[in-house]
Amino acid sequence: MRLRFVLLWLSFISTAVLATEADMTERQIPVPIAVSDELKHAITQFGIPTVQQALDSTPTDKETWLALIHSVNTEQKKKVKKMRKQYNVNVEMMNINGVTVRKIVPATLSDKFKGKVYLDVHGGAYVFFAGLPSIEEGILIAHRLGIEVISVDYQMPPHAPSPAALNDVFSVYTALLETHGAHNMFVGGTSAGGGLVLGLMQRLVNENIATPVAIYAGTPWADLTKTGDSLYINEGVDRILITYDGVLKAAANLFANKIALNHSSVSPLYGNFEGFPPTFLLSGTRDMFLSDTVRVNRKLREVGVPTQLEVFEGISHAEYLVAYETPESVAAYAELGAFFSKW
């Protein structure tokens, strides 16, 4: 009798699992309910590709990569030009230690951040947003925090894989260290930019170089392997990234080149977090990099680094930046400014 019960129970569990898998495959994800009307509008304004469509559009060689990069950067440039005019920031192209940067100065500097500088490391899957598109988040931070920003236009693949990007960021940081001092510096970035910020901190600690007052890692791509739980749970839910197995996986391999994807030089999650400055982390419930963000937070907490982790309802990857005119975006950067001002 007991054996029969166990067999029936196992049969029930197997059926339930199969049903659940079928439901997840066919599920229709509604627009998030508990978010602002502005975010709902932003989400419904553009169609969301299916996982298969995202896979089908993955570049397969250098020519298709260059075509995709050009297309993405062209659209991003239009957005950045609009933002630059909208927020009335002054942008000046400069060269620091052989690296192209853009200095962004807001119309009004905050008393809290006068004499301070924020080093901005842009995102874009380590391959997109070269040139003017690189200052998207730098404009927002300059305007919303009232701080001078230096945005790094670092080298990227296909022509410059790792470690070119990190070397460029390191070169700019060390130059600013001499002119401003670590006590007047903040560093941050979103997505790939967040990953590079973490990699920069590990290099600074390893080389016994002063770290900044505090850092910001917005939904950091800190693990280039397909490991984090949210890469699976939020596949097809995250309207920005869609799936790891398309452009993301291809970009990871392009960036890492001959380096193993789980090596700390390209995936800082596998490195040491001791000696980091206070860190602000940002993500959303629909973000495929939510796991990267919370795993980084846990690594930092385990070695005693003060952190603040903000997870916004209904937000896909970097949507606080993509949909920058929403209350969620305003709140995200207000939290960042408050965090920076504490240290």
Side-chain angles (χ1 to χ4, degrees):
M1 185 66 179
R2 179 177 296 175
L3 177 61
R4 182 182 178 188
F5 174 81
V6 170
L7 291 173
L8 285 171
W9 177 249
L10 290 175
S11 176
F12 170 78
I13 292 296
S14 299
T15 303
V17 168
L18 290 173
T20 300
E21 291 176 347
D23 290 343
M24 288 184 69
T25 302
E26 300 171 3
R27 63 179 175 167
Q28 296 296 316
I29 306 298
V31 173
I33 297 169
V35 300
S36 69
D37 290 340
E38 292 88 345
L39 181 56
K40 291 176 185 176
H41 174 72
I43 291 171
T44 56
Q45 190 175 11
F46 302 102
I48 303 174
T50 64
V51 170
Q52 189 57 53
Q53 288 171 331
L55 293 174
D56 293 341
S57 63
T58 304
T60 55
D61 53 33
K62 184 177 180 179
E63 287 69 30
T64 52
W65 261 118
L66 291 174
L68 178 61
I69 290 169
H70 176 73
S71 175
V72 170
N73 288 357
T74 298
E75 289 303 310
Q76 184 74 353
K77 188 180 292 185
K78 296 175 185 176
K79 178 182 179 182
V80 168
K81 285 182 176 179
K82 173 190 172 185
M83 294 172 68
R84 180 177 176 177
K85 183 177 180 180
Q86 179 179 0
Y87 293 119
N88 190 30
V89 296
N90 182 67
V91 179
E92 177 186 359
M93 185 181 293
M94 303 169 61
N95 185 292
I96 297 179
N97 264 358
V99 180
T100 300
V101 304
R102 287 170 177 81
K103 180 180 178 181
I104 309 167
V105 180
T108 304
L109 286 169
S110 167
D111 289 338
K112 293 183 294 186
F113 297 120
K114 283 183 179 177
K116 310 291 184 182
V117 65
Y118 174 86
L119 182 61
D120 171 54
V121 188
H122 73 85
Y126 296 105
V127 294
F128 301 115
F129 303 159
L132 187 64
S134 65
I135 65 173
E136 177 189 23
E137 189 166 41
I139 290 174
L140 277 186
I141 288 178
H143 172 74
R144 289 181 175 169
L145 273 65
I147 190 172
E148 179 183 308
V149 171
I150 299 294
S151 185
V152 186
D153 190 1
Y154 55 83
Q155 299 176 84
M156 291 182 287
H159 71 279
S162 180
L166 184 57
N167 286 343
D168 283 352
V169 176
F170 178 81
S171 293
V172 175
Y173 178 85
T174 52
L176 292 177
L177 194 62
E178 294 181 5
T179 58
H180 290 74
H183 62 289
N184 286 319
M185 292 179 63
F186 300 96
V187 180
T190 279
S191 193
L196 287 170
V197 168
L198 299 176
L200 174 64
M201 293 306 112
Q202 289 173 344
R203 182 168 175 179
L204 295 177
V205 172
N206 287 341
E207 298 186 21
N208 199 28
I209 297 173
T211 56
V213 176
I215 64 171
Y216 154 57
T219 177
W221 196 6
D223 181 359
L224 271 58
T225 72
K226 191 177 182 180
T227 300
D229 188 51
S230 59
L231 292 176
Y232 298 87
I233 299 301
N234 282 338
E235 183 179 45
V237 177
D238 185 327
R239 76 180 186 96
I240 308 299
L241 297 181
I242 313 298
T243 179
Y244 173 85
D245 294 318
V247 171
L248 279 181
K249 182 178 180 181
N253 287 311
L254 198 65
F255 173 69
N257 197 17
K258 298 179 181 180
I259 304 171
L261 292 182
N262 63 354
H263 193 279
S264 61
S265 63
V266 294
S267 291
L269 188 61
Y270 298 102
N272 186 4
F273 286 82
E274 292 183 1
F276 269 50
T279 303
F280 183 87
L281 296 142
L282 184 59
S283 186
T285 58
R286 296 193 174 195
D287 185 2
M288 283 181 59
F289 288 173
L290 175 59
S291 287
D292 278 32
T293 310
V294 299
R295 291 164 70 204
V296 167
N297 183 63
R298 180 49 44 202
K299 287 269 191 174
L300 290 164
R301 302 291 290 183
E302 286 173 351
V303 294
V305 176
T307 68
Q308 181 174 331
L309 170 62
E310 294 289 335
V311 180
F312 277 79
E313 172 72 5
I315 290 281
S316 292
H317 178 67
E319 201 159 25
Y320 54 85
L321 179 55
V322 175
Y324 69 94
E325 295 179 291
T326 61
E328 286 84 355
S329 177
V330 173
Y333 291 104
E335 292 283 359
L336 174 62
F339 182 81
F340 278 174
S341 65
K342 292 193 303 185
W343 307 100

